[in-house]
Amino acid sequence: MATLTTLFAKSLVNLLSVSLFDHDNQFTNALSWAILLVTVFTAASQVYWINQGLLRYDALLQVPVFYVIWTVFDIIGGGIYFNEFREFTTVKYVLFVL
């Protein structure tokens, strides 16, 4: 859930930046509003599920596991979603994994 929140939040920030600084309103279509709603929903869901985990498990287990999984999937998900891996060579992929 945290990875989806991060991806949609980055998309939302891009929409807001264009709308506010370039004076080109991006919220004239349904997709922009869907990104806003999904960002709010995933952020609220993320907090809910973290709290559920903390009710069941010790914070010394829950918090580190959450952040490691979040970081790994953020890197991979962002690389795929924003085409950040498109110029990677085989050597770059090997070094990325290391």
Side-chain angles (χ1 to χ4, degrees), residues 18 20 22 27-29 34-36 44-45 50-53 71 75 81-82:
V18 171
L20 295 174
D22 295 341
F27 292 90
T28 57
N29 59 48
I35 289 172
L36 173 67
S45 298
I50 290 171
N51 286 330
Q52 290 299 309
T71 302
I75 292 168
Y81 184 78
F82 295 104

Side-chain angles (χ1 to χ4, degrees), residues 62-77:
Q62 171 73 17
V63 174
V65 168
F66 170 76
Y67 280 108
V68 167
I69 291 172
W70 181 15
T71 302
V72 168
F73 282 106
D74 262 356
I75 292 168
I76 294 169

Side-chain angles (χ1 to χ4, degrees), residues 7-8 15-16 32 37 46 64 69 74 84:
L7 290 175
F8 280 102
L15 290 171
L16 289 171
S32 299
L37 293 174
Q46 174 184 342
I69 291 172
D74 262 356
E84 294 171 349

Side-chain angles (χ1 to χ4, degrees), residues 5-69:
T5 304
T6 304
L7 290 175
F8 280 102
K10 185 172 180 182
S11 298
L12 182 61
V13 167
N14 288 339
L15 290 171
L16 289 171
S17 295
V18 171
S19 294
L20 295 174
F21 299 115
D22 295 341
H23 305 292
D24 182 16
N25 187 6
Q26 298 296 302
F27 292 90
T28 57
N29 59 48
L31 183 59
S32 299
W33 288 101
I35 289 172
L36 173 67
L37 293 174
V38 170
T39 303
V40 171
F41 174 76
T42 57
S45 298
Q46 174 184 342
V47 172
Y48 172 79
W49 287 111
I50 290 171
N51 286 330
Q52 290 299 309
L54 289 172
L55 290 174
R56 290 176 176 75
Y57 303 104
D58 187 22
L60 291 174
L61 173 67
Q62 171 73 17
V63 174
V65 168
F66 170 76
Y67 280 108
V68 167
I69 291 172

